[in-house]
Amino acid sequence: MIKEQIPDIIVGRLPRYLRTLLILRETQTTTNSKELGKRLGYSAAQIRKDLSQYGEFGKQGTGYNIDFLIDSLNHILNTDRNWDILLVGVGQLGHAILNYTGFSKFGFHIRAAVDINPNVIGKKFNTCVVQDIGKMKEIIEENQIQIAMLAVPAENAQETAEKLVEAGIKAILSYAPTTLSLPPEIRVEYTDPLISLQHMTYYL
Amino acid sequence: MIKEQIPDIIVGRLPRYLRTLLILRETQTTTNSKELGKRLGYSAAQIRKDLSQYGEFGKQGTGYNIDFLIDSLNHILNTDRNWDILLVGVGQLGHAILNYTGFSKFGFHIRAAVDINPNVIGKKFNTCVVQDIGKMKEIIEENQIQIAMLAVPAENAQETAEKLVEAGIKAILSYAPTTLSLPPEIRVEYTDPLISLQHMTYYL
DNA sequence: ACGTGTGAATTTCTTCACAGCC
DNA sequence: GGCTGTGAAGAAATTCACACGT
């Protein structure tokens, strides 16, 4: 794999390019680095450099074919396939996640959900029924799930994450407002509105 | 203001330091750059450098007093005060946001919520009643609200954001899976699980 | 003429390493 | 001895600027 060599900061921009391309596709078939850059707040040169890490997707004088670039980015990001997800924690936030249908359009499917609370175990949602957290490992192995969303209270996040890793999970998207300490081969991302709020008040 | 000169990448780490300090405070009164770095996955030198941008918070040989550093960071981030927030969009996600009580502990209070849908207008939540989106400007001005959370569908995000800016909003935390184009003086942050998912599948 | 892809130049960010103080 | 704060060094990311294809 050569992938390791491409800086994560570049990888992190690719989903944003993808998103903007999907919007542009509604109205046009071609775009260029200048237009993309303007939309995203990056320089045109940066966009060209980033994309050039993975190949030559554009044409001189013309720019980029949007459909082709979308396909290419999906291939690079491994999003040209479906992914099964396990949700851990079906509280207020977990409910919202389960009811949100926006993930499946992009190939992310919440195939299973677990909680410790008997009141929600057995509850049915669009794509799955909440199961006992004791069955977590079993569920992960049977369905070969690699990605988990963590929506448990902050106090339980670390221990739950460790159990997920033991059970074979490879990547965690944590909604818990806590920094997790996990082995480096486990991919952890945080989605954390509080951090964002505290970041922006600095400038107010 | 000298603030402009401190890179945003450093500012963005400060809330993370804060978060880790709050956890450490449970068990100890003092910490040091090495311990903080280990918890967060940063080098000790980086933490010292970041903090040194704002003053001298540590003591040689001893490290940092946790309470003092927490207070200092809150002061730097402007989070040593309360902030009122307007929520725009009370759909599935908006409901979850309104029911989530974790923000207020950190001084962020959702004081008002608006939507376009008559079925939710008038609905009561802990801290506010949903009002008609037509009253948005009025609400912002009367309550002098500077921060908005945007939880409308992607299609409406851009136009709604523009209306928020017209109405005097200074910062937007967008939950919509879209990149917003707004004047540079408006602070925009995104909280976007899809981007995170697409980022991590790259490595799977 | 237009816009990509890319070495080179530049700027920014991170780490090193150590003087100085507790 | 331990740990901070910080210039200097080093690494990384970004931008420049231009040759080249359409």
Side-chain angles (χ1 to χ4, degrees), chain A residues 25-43:
Chain A
R25 176 158 68 176
E26 301 289 312
T27 55
Q28 59 205 75
T29 59
T30 277
T31 185
N32 56 57
S33 58
K34 195 176 160 194
E35 181 178 42
L36 274 173
K38 188 161 182 216
R39 285 249 177 187
L40 284 157
Y42 302 134
S43 76

Side-chain angles (χ1 to χ4, degrees), chain A residues 7-21:
Chain A
D8 186 63
I9 196 166
I10 292 180
V11 179
R13 282 191 291 259
L14 301 183
R16 293 168 199 281
Y17 296 168
L18 192 46
R19 172 144 310 162
T20 301
L21 288 166

Side-chain angles (χ1 to χ4, degrees), chain A:
Chain A
M1 280 255 215
I2 322 166
K3 281 195 172 182
E4 266 71 39
Q5 296 161 343
I6 295 176
D8 186 63
I9 196 166
I10 292 180
V11 179
R13 282 191 291 259
L14 301 183
R16 293 168 199 281
Y17 296 168
L18 192 46
R19 172 144 310 162
T20 301
L21 288 166
L22 292 172
I23 295 170
L24 291 175
R25 176 158 68 176
E26 301 289 312
T27 55
Q28 59 205 75
T29 59
T30 277
T31 185
N32 56 57
S33 58
K34 195 176 160 194
E35 181 178 42
L36 274 173
K38 188 161 182 216
R39 285 249 177 187
L40 284 157
Y42 302 134
S43 76
Q46 178 162 81
I47 285 175
R48 293 202 302 276
K49 247 263 140 97
D50 284 359
L51 295 176
S52 76
Q53 303 289 318
Y54 296 95
E56 309 197 350
F57 304 107
K59 279 202 178 63
Q60 284 111 324
T62 315
Y64 301 94
N65 176 284
I66 293 181
D67 280 333
F68 177 66
L69 190 51
I70 287 174
D71 288 349
S72 303
L73 285 173
N74 273 321
H75 184 69
I76 292 165
L77 288 167
N78 271 322
T79 47
D80 55 352
R81 50 160 285 185
N82 287 302
W83 290 95
D84 288 340
I85 295 176
L86 166 70
L87 173 69
V88 185
V90 189
Q92 188 61 238
L93 179 60
H95 274 78
I97 293 170
L98 282 168
N99 283 315
Y100 179 63
T101 57
F103 294 128
S104 63
K105 201 179 353 178
F106 296 89
F108 295 100
H109 306 282
I110 300 177
R111 284 286 184 238
V114 297
D115 201 299
I116 201 168
N117 178 0
N119 294 331
V120 296
I121 293 171
K123 201 165 174 182
K124 288 179 75 171
F125 288 86
N126 298 330
T127 59
C128 62
V129 177
V130 182
Q131 295 180 262
D132 190 289
I133 198 166
K135 293 198 191 136
M136 198 165 77
K137 185 163 188 172
E138 194 184 318
I139 295 167
I140 290 170
E141 283 169 2
E142 270 180 22
N143 299 279
Q144 303 211 49
I145 296 177
Q146 298 188 61
I147 304 174
M149 289 183 180
L150 190 61
V152 302
E155 310 83 87
N156 309 322
Q158 179 63 36
E159 49 161 339
T160 311
E162 286 170 14
K163 280 187 199 147
L164 281 167
V165 172
E166 277 170 42
I169 279 289
K170 296 283 181 289
I172 296 174
L173 174 60
S174 177
Y175 286 80
T178 296
T179 304
L180 302 174
S181 294
L182 297 173
E185 70 272 18
I186 306 298
R187 189 81 208 166
V188 182
E189 299 267 338
Y190 301 92
T191 188
D192 194 332
L194 246 167
I195 292 273
S196 301
L197 288 171
Q198 292 178 328
H199 187 167
M200 65 197 205
T201 53
Y202 178 88
Y203 296 99
L204 296 181

Side-chain angles (χ1 to χ4, degrees), chain B residues 161-189:
Chain B
E162 286 169 15
K163 278 185 202 150
L164 280 166
V165 172
E166 275 170 43
I169 278 290
K170 295 283 183 287
I172 296 174
L173 174 59
S174 176
Y175 287 79
T178 297
T179 303
L180 301 174
S181 294
L182 297 173
E185 70 272 19
I186 305 298
R187 189 80 208 166
V188 181
E189 300 268 336

Side-chain angles (χ1 to χ4, degrees), chain B residues 26-44:
Chain B
E26 301 289 312
T27 56
Q28 60 206 73
T29 60
T30 277
T31 186
N32 56 57
S33 59
K34 198 178 157 193
E35 181 177 41
L36 274 173
K38 190 161 180 216
R39 287 250 177 184
L40 285 157
Y42 302 135
S43 77

